[in-house]
Amino acid sequence: MAKKAAAKKQKSMEETLWDSANKLRGTVESSEYKHVVLSLIFLKFASDKFEERRQELINEGKEQFLDMVEFYTMKNAFFLPEASRWSYIIKNSKQDNIALIIDTALHTTEKNNPSLKGALPDNYFSRLNMDVSKLAALLDTVNNIDTLKDKEQDIVGRVYEYFLSKFALAEGKGKGEFYTPKSIVNLIAEMIEPYKGVIYDPACGSGGMFVQSMKFIENHHGDKKEISIYGQEYTATTYKLAKMNLAIRGIAANLGAVPADTFGKDQHPDLKADYIMANPPFNQKDWRASDELLDDPRWKGYDVPQTGNANYGWILNMVSKLSDNGVAGFVLSNGALSGGGEEYKIRKKLIENGLIEAIVILPGSMFYTTDISVTIWVINKNKKERTVALNDVVKHYRNRQDEILFMDLRQIGEPFEKKFIQFSETHIAEISKTYHDWQQKDTDYQDIPEYCCSASLEDVVKKDYSLVPSKYIEFVNRDENIDFDDKMKALQTEFSELLKEEAKSKTELLNVFKALGYEIKL
């Protein structure tokens, strides 16, 4: 009888695209790989939006405006000359010069749309010398994605997020700095609640913090027009990735005129941000020479951060850019919680100034690119008692000037991609509720062993200004209340039953062999 064909699992659009893109391996360096795929997705999306708007103008009888850039930008579409359109690329996809055609499309797209200045790869595909047939196959796969199919689903944003995550996973340890795991970004957004005002990320990578900020506003029915975005990124290719990532989602942002080092060339020197979200490089060494940045205004009132580790340089950079009611949520390696020398002096001053609001230790294996232990810091310029209306929700904050909330999330999380951990939406809701309850009056917040503790300034001084959560959160010694005699009696009974069962099985086995005429003599 013929076997019934098993139902084949339908691959998602992202999986199909990933498999197709994977075929480029061997012809393209893995470090370049993401730029190829994401540039093509960008072109396809820009072209789909252009064609949609073009048809709209035709339907409205406005054919005379078909080649006017303004009529596209007013509807958040990019104007594309013929050489930039996806239809032109696909028509020529099997030609030997397809790489040059794609480069020309990217160049003319950027040239015709000032908001994309510096965003798209320049003469990129030609330099890679890719196998034409593999590139054509990838183009065919991208061609099958209808980027406008379901606008509510933000298909292009989904593909971008999926690919940035997959590339970070694939590039592994020491690479993939451009991507912060989504559930960590979501947790920071839910904690600091960036409803409206200026958002800043001094090490913005691919712009993931901004994307999640916008999603937070959408999820809470806020108005995205009330947000201004500022960022900076040092790596040129990641800077372009961020600009594309934001442009493709229609998010306007000022990432500085060029990619540049935040310390050496601060592109937003006078900025005062209401919200800062960041995941700066962990334990960055040699970030300044010993005679550099000694009088930098960002350290005003504090010691100059040491040259061997940039952690406190990042912290002071962010503190200096917070508005009077500003709040920052950022990720740092755990070493910053208890470092000595200048780090100790700066940390002591930050604590005495009442700026540190919460220290949240994260589970291991959350980052795709490093296995070091990390912590979320929340710094708040205004921890005083006040009442604030946030998007129709009134919050009655209590005075927390001399308190710090410590949270330990190391026992929380769910498996992700077999070897990683992430927070579910439920986890994020529960964690952020604990934090918001602690901030406000008349809530049911209480310290919970092995999870959270509200420490006073006095407690922190007693611990010599250490911010290591385990010094404050109560540890439960589960062995303490065990009665040794009871435990041993229980084990005695358990082992006795096991040995009886074993003896019975042995006897039965010997009897079987004896009955067959092959007695076993021990």
Side-chain angles (χ1 to χ4, degrees):
M1 191 174 75
K3 283 185 180 177
K4 194 175 177 181
K8 199 173 180 180
K9 190 187 169 191
Q10 186 77 29
K11 281 186 180 176
S12 70
M13 173 190 65
E14 291 97 329
E15 287 172 323
T16 304
L17 191 52
W18 178 260
D19 289 347
S20 178
N22 244 336
K23 291 173 187 165
L24 285 180
R25 288 199 185 279
T27 60
V28 179
E29 290 289 329
S30 59
S31 58
E32 304 281 345
Y33 190 49
K34 59 184 169 293
H35 300 293
V36 173
V37 177
L38 296 177
S39 297
L40 293 178
I41 294 170
F42 177 85
L43 275 175
K44 176 68 166 64
F45 174 69
S47 199
D48 285 350
K49 286 269 283 184
F50 166 80
E51 297 293 352
E52 182 186 56
R53 176 60 181 150
R54 186 179 168 84
Q55 189 58 49
E56 208 172 84
L57 289 171
I58 293 170
N59 293 344
E60 292 169 359
K62 297 176 180 173
E63 284 87 349
Q64 68 271 35
F65 304 125
L66 287 179
D67 294 328
M68 292 184 68
V69 176
E70 296 78 8
F71 278 79
Y72 294 86
T73 51
M74 67 191 290
K75 288 291 181 84
N76 289 324
F78 298 114
F79 174 76
L80 302 180
E82 187 176 353
S84 293
R85 296 173 198 167
W86 188 257
S87 54
Y88 183 80
I89 292 170
I90 285 297
K91 189 176 157 188
N92 291 284
S93 63
K94 307 298 187 289
Q95 303 298 317
D96 289 342
N97 64 340
I98 182 59
L100 179 61
I101 289 169
I102 295 170
D103 279 334
T104 305
L106 289 164
H107 176 73
T108 51
T109 300
E110 185 172 314
K111 189 178 166 188
N112 281 278
N113 296 280
S115 66
L116 289 174
K117 189 179 177 186
L120 304 184
D122 182 26
N123 193 27
Y124 182 73
F125 285 75
S126 301
R127 280 186 281 128
L128 292 177
N129 197 24
M130 277 184 285
D131 182 290
V132 171
S133 62
K134 288 183 178 178
L135 179 54
L138 179 59
L139 285 167
D140 285 342
T141 307
V142 175
N143 191 44
N144 288 329
I145 301 174
D146 181 354
T147 64
L148 306 180
K149 186 179 176 184
D150 186 350
K151 291 181 182 177
E152 293 299 314
Q153 285 289 320
D154 182 19
I155 287 178
V156 173
R158 210 177 80 192
V159 171
Y160 248 68
E161 197 166 282
Y162 177 84
F163 267 64
L164 287 171
S165 162
K166 289 288 275 187
F167 284 125
L169 281 167
E171 291 192 355
K173 199 172 180 179
K175 296 184 178 176
E177 298 91 343
F178 50 84
Y179 188 77
T180 307
K182 190 173 124 185
S183 73
I184 294 178
V185 185
N186 286 347
L187 176 60
I188 295 175
E190 290 291 339
M191 288 178 78
I192 72 169
E193 301 182 305
Y195 279 110
K196 61 181 176 181
V198 175
I199 300 180
Y200 170 61
D201 182 346
C204 70
S206 58
M209 295 285 185
F210 302 135
V211 171
Q212 292 308 324
S213 297
M214 289 300 181
K215 285 188 179 172
F216 172 85
I217 293 167
E218 283 174 6
N219 293 341
H220 294 270
H221 311 294
D223 185 352
K224 290 194 281 185
K225 290 176 184 169
E226 294 185 324
I227 285 286
S228 302
I229 287 176
Y230 292 82
Q232 185 155 344
E233 171 57 38
Y234 175 64
T235 309
T237 50
T238 309
Y239 172 82
K240 287 179 183 290
L241 207 56
K243 293 197 95 172
M244 274 198 288
N245 192 14
L246 297 175
I248 216 160
R249 300 164 194 265
I251 300 173
N254 180 345
L255 304 185
V258 291
D261 170 25
T262 299
F263 296 120
K265 185 178 180 177
D266 182 4
Q267 301 197 74
H268 309 294
D270 301 319
L271 182 73
K272 287 297 175 189
D274 301 297
Y275 304 97
I276 296 178
M277 298 172 70
N279 172 25
F282 298 144
N283 302 325
Q284 187 182 355
K285 294 176 181 166
D286 303 324
W287 60 285
R288 68 173 181 88
S290 57
D291 58 348
E292 285 179 343
L293 300 172
L294 295 176
D295 298 322
D296 195 286
R298 288 172 286 186
W299 329 139
K300 189 179 177 184
Y302 295 88
D303 282 63
V304 178
Q306 60 149 316
T307 56
N309 191 316
N311 284 344
Y312 277 79
W314 287 112
I315 294 174
L316 291 185
N317 174 74
M318 290 186 266
V319 168
S320 73
K321 292 187 185 302
L322 280 175
S323 67
D324 289 343
N325 292 318
V327 56
F330 53 89
V331 183
L332 282 181
S333 71
N334 285 1
L337 300 173
S338 58
E342 285 87 359
E343 295 194 348
Y344 171 84
K345 294 175 189 170
I346 297 170
R347 186 171 62 253
K348 180 171 180 281
K349 194 79 175 175
L350 289 167
I351 293 167
E352 288 172 347
N353 288 345
L355 293 175
I356 297 176
E357 171 116 289
I359 296 291
V360 182
I361 195 160
L362 297 175
S365 305
M366 289 201 87
F367 278 81
Y368 311 146
T369 54
T370 177
D371 50 13
I372 65 172
S373 301
V374 297
T375 315
I376 294 174
W377 290 53
V378 180
I379 284 185
N380 194 337
K381 285 286 284 288
N382 188 355
K383 291 163 65 180
K384 294 176 183 166
E385 179 177 339
R386 60 186 178 129
T387 299
V388 178
L390 285 173
N391 204 32
D392 297 333
V393 176
V394 177
K395 297 211 168 189
H396 300 285
Y397 292 112
R398 61 186 186 84
N399 186 2
R400 315 166 316 274
Q401 279 289 93
D402 293 331
E403 293 177 35
I404 298 174
L405 177 66
F406 290 93
M407 300 184 76
D408 186 342
L409 310 184
R410 286 176 296 177
Q411 302 301 319
I412 298 174
E414 62 182 16
F416 172 66
E417 296 273 348
K418 293 180 183 173
K419 60 178 180 176
F420 299 105
I421 296 289
Q422 68 176 10
F423 295 131
S424 67
E425 288 185 11
T426 305
H427 294 141
I428 291 170
E430 290 171 353
I431 297 162
S432 52
K433 181 180 184 305
T434 301
Y435 169 70
H436 294 306
D437 283 351
W438 172 80
Q439 286 183 308
Q440 297 178 76
K441 297 176 182 175
D442 305 323
T443 67
D444 57 0
Y445 171 83
Q446 58 183 359
D447 292 350
I448 298 173
E450 298 188 335
Y451 176 51
C452 63
C453 172
S454 178
S456 66
L457 176 61
E458 192 182 356
D459 294 332
V460 178
V461 172
K462 282 181 187 169
K463 306 290 183 188
D464 199 19
Y465 298 94
S466 168
L467 293 176
V468 175
S470 60
K471 286 180 183 279
Y472 304 92
I473 299 172
E474 186 185 344
F475 171 71
V476 178
N477 185 353
R478 293 186 174 77
D479 296 333
E480 190 177 56
N481 299 321
I482 293 175
D483 185 296
F484 182 79
D485 191 46
D486 286 348
K487 187 72 181 172
M488 287 307 295
K489 282 179 179 171
L491 283 172
Q492 182 187 33
T493 305
E494 190 177 332
F495 274 95
S496 174
E497 291 301 319
L498 278 172
L499 291 172
K500 283 177 186 171
E501 285 295 320
E502 186 187 356
K504 185 181 172 188
S505 297
K506 183 180 169 185
T507 304
E508 287 174 356
L509 185 65
L510 290 173
N511 289 339
V512 168
F513 273 84
K514 187 178 180 181
L516 292 171
Y518 297 93
E519 183 179 5
I520 298 173
K521 293 184 177 177
L522 300 176

